[in-house]
Amino acid sequence: MRTLTRSILTLAACAAGLLAQDSPGLWTSDQVRAAVTATLAESPTLSAIKLNSAQIDGDRITLDLSRQLLDLSRPSAIDNAIRRLAASIATLPADSTGFRLSVLVDGTPLRDVRGDTLAARSQAKLPVRRASAAADNNAPAASVVVLNPDSGELDLDGARSAELAMTIRESLSSRGMEVLGARNLDKYAGTGDSGADKWRESALAYLKELGLPAEILEQGDDTSRPLFANWAGASAMITLRGSSSRVPLIYYSPEGPQSGASEALALGLQTGLTGAKVIACDDCGLEMRLASMASVVLDLGEAIAQPAIQLAAAGSVGESFQALSTHVLAASQAEMTSPAPGSQLTGTSATFQWNPGQDATSYWLMVGSWLGGNTLYSQSQGNLTSASVTGLPTSGSTIYVRLWSYVNSQWVSNDYQYRAFSPNGSTPTKAVLTAPAPGSKLSGSSATFQWTAGVGVNRYYLFIGQWAGGNTIYSQDMVDSVQASVSGLPSDGSTLYVRLWSYIDGVWQFNDYTLTAAGTLNPVKAQITSPAQGSTLSGSAVTFQWDAGSGVTHYYLHVGLWQGGNSIFSQDMNTSQSVQVTGLPTDASTVYVRLWSYIGGAWQYNDYTYKASGTAPTAAKAAITAPAPGSTLTGSSVTFTWTAGTAVQRYWLFIGTSVGNNDIYGADQNLNQSATATVPVNGKALYARLWSYINGAWQFNDYQYKAAGN
């Protein structure tokens, strides 16, 4: 009973986690902190790491970890920790999945990575596993073993691991097992497309040759190997490596649904290898996290090149599999047989039937409106292999079914999708807002929002904000409700933006609407209150502050060296009314500030000027240094270069057929000190004018050249 209760809690936690994952939204520091803290606490290898702080700035998330108990001498462990943290953040609800992850250790930068890409490598989608040989005549038998020689293009150790794989293959094949390689294991297969022997090419090259599905191949060389093992319906996967270790090492992961089978396989291999050590780790590689079967890494160490050791290892693997294959490795979860996965149901009730699997002792069935959901049905089936479910929707929406099997003291599952019955056979359609009427004006600070059910919609989410897609006023998962009462709406006549999300066939889609808040809009742009307009700044770092304005929903600040410029600072301030700007000049030059206000769906601005701190150097215009003024050009393509000048904030170059003209070339050079122009080759005079922008005014120097040619 205690085991069943614990399993029920595990199932509930899984469902809750997936429920959160499906929701669109905007992250907060609290959400990120909670996700990261939970990930650190749940993993035995990460629990010693402490989180100092979590901050969000746009799409950048900064995590500051405590140096205490953090072993910086193990880069692989650090990389694994960062990958796990990125994956935990990626599961949070968001309407944009892209983010950068900066990791600090007590304030000192450690890593800066593309978090969504890193998370994707940890959460690569598993292809659907082949069901059985009965369902597919080409499917491998139940006792399939995948051997995975390590490395990409084979180096010395990689070549030895491939040779070891060939030796092990012979041992397993002689015991009646089917052995597949995650790369070519035939030394006489000839030359591949790369020009190297096929057995030395990458795993990806071999899997492409086998014709595996694109969803596996597109994951890359490392990730495709365990996904291949899943697709093949393998009973076990062994990754083979060689290192500087003096004794054989066998690694397995203590986490995940296959940890028990993996440990049993590792211990079985240990018995036949003198001095071998079994090590539990969760940062051994992708094969540990993505393989849905018993998986170990076998590292023979320095002895990998010794034929006697290879034969001993091969014999050990063969004997271990022979002992384990009838129990641990051959165990498999139940699979749905009726209704046919992917089919459309015929009404509001259905009887789900499944095969018993192998060594499965109990089953649990969940039916919901999203992956892993159980809002329609969730019940233990004991040892029964069928269940009748009523109350199913008739909207034509996607129904998600998860069938759990209790195998080797662990719950494992298979997922299936069905199309709900639809009397009129309508095409899936997003929900549509019906009240308040889109485009109308609200009557007060609260309102009830209502929408149609749509067709095939499993779930709804409502955003209300002050710009398109914003949710600063309201953001709520409505589950299957088709209305929401919202209070705290503004009463200033401003524009409100409503985004109604519909979850259809596993994808969030939305319709956007605008409403006008109650009250009267008297828009006033925000104004800078400090520093005072026209004043001299106090140094290279200054805090700018501004009032709220009226009807302003968003601010943006530009700081530059010319009017409207933003070469010093450019940032979306959201609803903040102050910011510290660093890197300001200290040469008494003019600094230009533009404060933008978003009012009624349009950006407006106020401009300000300040005098930088410090003393102004003696100004000097930039001067062309090449080609030498007065010289004859050498061809039609000419690169002009010039000095920086003194106190020059910007350059502009003219080239023409008369003094001050730009009929050949004219372009703003910003802060560049060279430009390439195409000029005539006719032997005639050409004129260059180099402009220098100094303290708010343009000044110039003129030059004359002779074009190449006659």
Side-chain angles (χ1 to χ4, degrees):
M1 182 65 183
R2 186 177 304 166
T3 300
L4 179 59
T5 302
R6 185 166 58 249
S7 301
I8 293 173
L9 293 174
T10 301
L11 293 174
C14 290
L18 287 167
L19 179 66
Q21 183 174 349
D22 286 339
S23 307
L26 298 177
W27 293 327
T28 66
S29 295
D30 289 341
Q31 285 178 305
V32 171
R33 189 179 300 108
V36 169
T37 301
T39 299
L40 294 176
E42 290 169 359
S43 171
T45 59
L46 302 182
S47 58
I49 301 175
K50 304 303 178 186
L51 177 66
N52 292 332
S53 65
Q55 296 181 339
I56 298 178
D57 183 5
D59 67 348
R60 180 176 294 278
I61 297 175
T62 301
L63 303 179
D64 189 5
L65 306 178
S66 173
R67 184 179 298 275
Q68 185 180 14
L69 301 179
L70 182 60
D71 185 1
L72 297 177
S73 66
R74 296 181 60 212
S76 62
I78 294 296
D79 290 340
N80 175 64
I82 293 173
R83 182 173 57 247
R84 296 280 294 278
L85 297 181
S88 69
I89 294 170
T91 62
L92 292 172
D95 55 3
S96 175
T97 58
F99 67 96
R100 291 204 66 85
L101 180 62
S102 295
V103 180
L104 314 178
V105 176
D106 289 337
T108 301
L110 177 66
R111 296 281 197 281
D112 188 274
V113 296
R114 187 75 210 178
D116 48 333
T117 302
L118 193 64
R121 288 181 61 82
S122 293
Q123 300 175 319
K125 180 181 178 182
L126 299 181
V128 177
R129 185 177 176 180
R130 290 189 175 190
S132 65
D136 181 352
N137 291 331
N138 295 318
S143 55
V144 174
V145 179
V146 169
L147 299 179
N148 175 31
D150 205 16
S151 300
E153 297 291 338
L154 288 182
D155 54 15
L156 179 59
D157 285 339
R160 289 169 176 170
S161 68
E163 291 170 347
L164 173 61
M166 297 174 193
T167 305
I168 292 177
R169 179 185 59 183
E170 296 303 319
S171 176
L172 295 179
S173 298
S174 67
R175 289 170 168 81
M177 299 179 189
E178 182 173 359
V179 182
L180 302 177
R183 63 190 314 149
N184 198 309
L185 298 183
D186 184 357
K187 267 197 171 183
Y188 306 101
T191 303
D193 293 338
S194 68
D197 291 338
K198 287 187 176 182
W199 72 279
R200 289 182 176 273
E201 287 189 318
S202 66
L204 195 58
Y206 176 60
L207 298 181
K208 283 181 179 178
E209 186 177 349
L210 290 182
L212 261 67
E215 61 184 346
I216 294 179
L217 299 176
E218 66 188 11
Q219 300 295 337
D221 190 89
D222 289 340
T223 308
S224 63
R225 304 180 196 205
L227 299 189
F228 163 62
N230 297 340
W231 174 83
S235 304
M237 178 176 177
I238 302 179
T239 297
L240 303 167
R241 292 179 183 166
S243 70
S244 59
S245 173
R246 294 187 177 182
V247 297
L249 304 175
I250 307 168
Y251 298 91
Y252 77 95
S253 174
E255 299 180 356
Q258 299 299 331
S259 60
S262 297
E263 182 181 14
L265 175 57
L267 293 173
L269 295 177
Q270 183 187 31
T271 60
L273 291 172
T274 303
K277 293 183 179 180
V278 172
I279 301 173
C281 71
D282 64 354
D283 59 351
C284 302
L286 288 169
E287 60 272 12
M288 292 297 189
R289 297 187 302 280
L290 300 184
S292 59
M293 74 290 297
S295 176
V296 298
V297 174
L298 175 59
D299 180 354
L300 289 185
E302 295 176 339
I304 190 171
Q306 299 178 21
I309 296 297
Q310 286 194 4
L311 289 173
S316 172
V317 171
E319 292 170 5
S320 299
F321 269 93
Q322 202 158 29
L324 294 170
S325 61
T326 58
H327 177 56
V328 176
L329 301 180
S332 61
Q333 62 258 48
E335 295 175 328
M336 193 69 67
T337 57
S338 178
S343 62
Q344 184 164 24
L345 304 181
T346 57
T348 60
S349 62
T351 298
F352 293 90
Q353 297 176 311
W354 52 91
N355 63 34
Q358 188 163 337
D359 286 351
T361 58
S362 186
Y363 311 97
W364 192 289
L365 185 67
M366 290 164 51
V367 183
S369 298
W370 47 85
L371 182 64
N374 63 353
T375 52
L376 300 176
Y377 184 86
S378 180
Q379 190 168 313
S380 170
Q381 305 302 319
N383 59 3
L384 299 178
T385 56
S386 68
S388 294
V389 179
T390 60
L392 297 171
T394 57
S395 60
S397 59
T398 300
I399 293 177
Y400 297 83
V401 176
R402 176 164 289 179
L403 176 60
W404 293 87
S405 303
Y406 196 64
V407 181
N408 292 330
S409 301
Q410 298 181 77
W411 284 103
V412 292
S413 65
N414 278 323
D415 285 325
Y416 305 91
Q417 294 182 20
Y418 297 90
R419 175 72 65 186
F421 176 69
S422 178
N424 53 15
S426 299
T427 301
T429 306
K430 294 177 287 185
V432 175
L433 186 71
T434 56
S440 64
K441 185 171 184 176
L442 302 181
S443 58
S445 61
S446 62
T448 298
F449 290 79
Q450 298 175 316
W451 51 89
T452 64
V455 177
V457 182
N458 296 117
R459 196 169 168 193
Y460 310 94
Y461 213 106
L462 184 65
F463 282 2
I464 304 176
Q466 295 173 303
W467 51 86
N471 64 352
T472 52
I473 297 175
Y474 188 83
S475 177
Q476 184 69 46
D477 182 353
M478 306 311 304
V479 191
D480 55 1
S481 177
V482 291
Q483 70 173 33
S485 295
V486 181
S487 58
L489 297 168
S491 300
D492 57 2
S494 60
T495 300
L496 301 180
Y497 296 84
V498 178
R499 176 164 289 181
L500 177 60
W501 294 86
S502 300
Y503 193 66
I504 300 175
D505 290 342
V507 178
W508 284 103
Q509 306 176 40
F510 62 85
N511 280 321
D512 277 341
Y513 306 91
T514 58
L515 300 167
T516 301
T520 302
L521 178 64
N522 295 307
V524 177
K525 293 177 288 184
Q527 299 183 61
I528 289 180
T529 56
S530 176
Q533 154 69 10
S535 62
T536 299
L537 302 179
S538 58
S540 62
V542 174
T543 296
F544 290 85
Q545 297 175 310
W546 52 91
D547 61 26
S550 178
V552 183
T553 58
H554 216 126
Y555 308 97
Y556 212 108
L557 187 68
H558 285 173
V559 182
L561 299 175
W562 49 85
Q563 188 174 31
N566 62 355
S567 56
I568 297 175
F569 185 85
S570 177
Q571 187 167 310
D572 182 350
M573 304 311 304
N574 204 326
T575 56
S576 177
Q577 290 178 234
S578 69
V579 66
Q580 185 184 56
V581 177
T582 60
L584 294 165
T586 55
D587 57 1
S589 60
T590 301
V591 175
Y592 297 83
V593 177
R594 176 165 288 180
L595 177 61
W596 294 87
S597 300
Y598 194 67
I599 301 175
W603 285 102
Q604 305 176 40
Y605 63 85
N606 280 321
D607 277 341
Y608 304 86
T609 58
Y610 299 90
K611 183 179 180 181
S613 62
T615 303
T618 301
K621 295 176 287 184
I624 289 179
T625 56
S631 63
T632 298
L633 304 180
T634 58
S636 61
S637 180
V638 181
T639 298
F640 293 84
T641 59
W642 52 88
T643 63
T646 304
V648 181
Q649 299 168 319
R650 197 171 176 186
Y651 309 97
W652 199 294
L653 181 65
F654 283 2
I655 301 173
T657 55
S658 59
V659 176
N661 203 345
N662 65 350
D663 54 339
I664 295 176
Y665 180 88
D668 182 356
Q669 305 302 321
N670 205 328
L671 295 175
N672 294 321
Q673 288 179 239
S674 68
T676 299
T678 300
V679 300
V681 183
N682 56 13
K684 295 183 178 181
L686 296 177
Y687 300 87
R689 174 167 289 182
L690 178 61
W691 294 87
S692 299
Y693 191 70
I694 300 174
N695 204 22
W698 285 102
Q699 305 176 38
F700 63 85
N701 281 321
D702 279 337
Y703 305 88
Q704 183 175 343
Y705 298 91
K706 181 181 179 182
N710 298 315

